[in-house]
Structure formats: C-alpha cells, structure tokens
Amino acid sequence: MNLSDGRWSGPILDNHFHLDKAGRYLDAALDFKRAGGTDLVLVHKPDFNNLPLNEDEIRRAYEETIEMAENTRSEHDLRVRVVLGPHPAAWMHQTAELGYEVAGELHISSVEIAIEFCDENLAVGVGEVGRPHWDVGEEVIQHADQLLTEILGMCKQANVPAQLHLDSNGEMTNKEISKICDSVGFPRFGAIHHHADGNIGKNYTHGLTSSVVVGRDAIKDIVNSIWQNEGGFLMETDYMDDPRRPGAVLGPKTVPKRTQQLSSSLIGMGIDAEATLSAIHIDLPDALYGEYV
Ligand SMILES: [Zn+2]
C-alpha cells in the first residue's frame, strides 16, 4: 500500500525535467526530492548558443547530460532516466543558418547517436523531437513532419519511445501525429506527448501517451476526462533550470504537490487512487522506458 489517509507515499516521477550546470542544477533536484519526488526523466537540453555542428560535438553534448544524471543519482539518491535528442527548435535555428538539407542531416545524426546511447543503456528514449511550438507556417511544418516520420521509423527499429515536442493545436495536432506514427508502424503509445494539456480522453489524444504539464488547472482537466482515458498518462513540469528565466516555468516541487492533489480528487470521485497513481508513477514509466536499473 502506497496510499494512506489519502496521501500517496509511493514513487513520484516527473517525466520531463531539464537540468543545467549553470542553473540551480543539484539544488533543483534536491527541491524535487524534498517535496517527495523519487524519479526524474532528465531530458537533454541543447545549448542554443552553441549548437553541435558535427557528430563529436553531438556526443559531447549528450555526455554532459549523462554526467548530470550520474551526479544527481549519486548526490541525492534519486532514480534518473535519461532521454536524448536534438530539439525541433534547434533544428529551426540551424535551418536558418545552414539550410534545410544540412540542418536535417545534423538532426538525423543526433537521433542516430541518441539511439546508440539507448543501445548502451545510457538513455531510455529519444527526445525531444517533433515540431516547433510557435507558428512557423505550412512549409516548415511539412519539413518537420518529414523529419519526424523518419525519426519515428528509426525509433521503431530501435524499439525506443520518443518524447515529442509539438505545436499546441489540440486535437488536430494529436490526430496528425498519430497518423505519422501509423505511417511507419510506430506504436502511438510510444509517442509521449510532452507538455500535453490535461484533456486525456482518447478521442482527444488519439492514443498518444500524454505527459501532462501540471499547471494550476491540470488536475481539474485530468479528472474531467479520466473516464475517457485509455492507456494511462504521465505528469511533468518541463522544468527548464534556466538562470535567465528562473520563474518562467513550473518549479521542481510541482509534480509531488499535484500528485497529492490528484490523490484527493480521485478519492473524492470514488476512483481507485492507489491504482491510478501506481500507473502514473510506476507501471507506465516501466512499460515505456523499461524497469529502472
Ligand atoms: Zn523540454
């Protein structure tokens, strides 16, 4: 039993968390732990002022993230899984400088190398990949979708999940992405929609796995759609650890806090909170990424 008196005392996983050696770094991870957090999915954050231009630079950048994960494990005894990938915004920046062809090649190389790290059990998935989140026009979206199609084909081959960074056109985005998954035989379940909103109904998600960014209203949206959910969902902050914008995003303590809130809401609705929270924080992460080793 991980639930007593309505409080969850089991594992708590934040599915999309960044760290930065120039940011709060280990202190941010400690905040997460002190609030009750146990598991982080540390997603690679590119250095937008210094984007890699060849394979060696890509590897070196990933190794920095691996090292931060190792330090977080040893310093705070947290379980940290790593997700590596290029980021669609990085591709946009490089497209402006290098053109579609060269930027596209670098993007695909970055995914290939991320998959190598997965094969070596240093990472558990590819991300974030997908589409720019701001309005970029039809031509750019077409290029981005073409790359994403190729990337999800590679992820299928390698049998690894992908964390997707997408535009926020709600159901339409989800529908388009689900079609891309189907076109290469990549399971929609393995397409983890990062920074998803709280509507987790199947008609809305089209079977992508929502990683809900748990802002103020998220719990209300989750419980309103939970009856229509299939396949479960995850919770995240998208914590940026950006020293220039310290308060711009949700803080490291947010997932633990919202987990307790969700627990109360579920109990109030007569839903099995123990089973739901176990699925969010244990079973679904294990199914997507493999058990933590
Ligand atoms: Zn992110």
Side-chain angles (χ1 to χ4, degrees):
M1 281 286 285
N2 282 317
L3 197 75
S4 61
D5 293 332
R7 268 194 86 76
W8 174 254
S9 58
I12 293 182
L13 176 139
D14 187 326
N15 186 56
H16 195 104
F17 202 92
H18 298 288
L19 286 174
D20 192 323
K21 282 183 180 165
R24 294 192 60 227
Y25 187 24
L26 292 168
D27 287 343
L30 185 58
D31 274 0
F32 172 70
K33 180 178 171 162
R34 288 207 171 128
T38 58
D39 291 68
L40 288 174
V41 179
L42 182 65
V43 181
H44 179 68
K45 183 173 82 166
D47 178 356
F48 286 97
N49 298 314
N50 189 20
L51 290 170
L53 290 167
N54 58 51
E55 294 193 6
D56 280 348
E57 291 177 11
I58 295 165
R59 277 205 177 80
R60 226 171 303 139
Y62 288 167
E63 275 157 10
E64 287 269 306
T65 298
I66 304 276
E67 190 197 322
M68 286 194 282
E70 279 166 2
N71 290 339
T72 305
R73 289 179 195 116
S74 59
E75 197 70 28
H76 297 318
D77 198 27
L78 287 163
R79 289 187 291 258
V80 186
R81 290 172 167 104
V82 175
V83 166
L84 298 174
H87 207 295
W91 167 71
M92 278 293 290
H93 283 284
Q94 292 196 309
T95 293
E97 281 165 34
L98 309 168
Y100 280 121
E101 197 174 324
V102 175
E105 280 166 12
L106 271 172
H107 200 69
I108 295 297
S109 293
S110 301
V111 172
E112 273 166 2
I113 295 168
I115 288 173
E116 278 176 31
F117 279 78
C118 293
D119 288 341
E120 290 167 30
N121 293 321
L122 293 166
V124 297
V126 168
E128 39 202 292
V129 290
R131 291 172 170 178
H133 54 264
W134 64 97
D135 195 5
V136 288
E138 211 23 62
E139 192 198 342
V140 175
I141 288 291
Q142 272 178 24
H143 279 278
D145 283 357
Q146 221 172 353
L147 280 173
L148 183 60
T149 307
E150 190 173 342
I151 290 166
L152 293 181
M154 293 159 73
C155 290
K156 179 195 154 63
Q157 283 278 316
N159 196 24
V160 293
Q163 285 218 12
L164 305 184
H165 172 110
L166 300 169
D167 51 316
S168 41
N169 290 315
E171 196 220 326
M172 197 172 73
T173 301
N174 298 334
K175 189 176 179 179
E176 289 168 2
I177 300 300
S178 71
K179 280 189 185 151
I180 294 179
C181 291
D182 295 354
S183 75
V184 292
F186 183 75
R188 295 182 186 190
F189 167 74
I192 304 162
H193 186 172
H194 138 65
H195 213 104
D197 60 60
N199 185 344
I200 52 169
K202 190 164 191 252
N203 290 338
Y204 184 82
T205 66
H206 287 268
L208 309 182
T209 295
S210 295
S211 179
V212 178
V213 61
V214 285
R216 212 167 285 278
D217 294 328
I219 301 304
K220 187 182 74 202
D221 295 339
I222 288 171
V223 297
N224 281 339
S225 55
I226 200 162
W227 305 106
Q228 282 79 47
N229 178 253
E230 273 176 33
F233 65 99
L234 300 159
M235 295 164 86
E236 67 166 63
T237 50
D238 196 11
Y239 180 66
M240 297 291 294
D241 202 13
D242 184 342
R244 287 157 306 174
R245 300 186 303 157
V249 289
L250 300 176
K253 300 174 189 165
T254 312
V255 168
K257 193 166 83 184
R258 297 279 185 252
T259 296
Q260 303 304 345
Q261 231 179 303
L262 178 60
S263 176
S264 312
S265 296
L266 293 171
I267 292 166
M269 295 167 74
I271 295 176
D272 185 343
E274 169 106 26
T276 305
L277 295 174
S278 298
I280 295 170
H281 293 299
I282 307 167
D283 306 331
L284 187 54
D286 283 355
L288 288 163
Y289 304 124
E291 271 179 55
Y292 185 79
V293 283

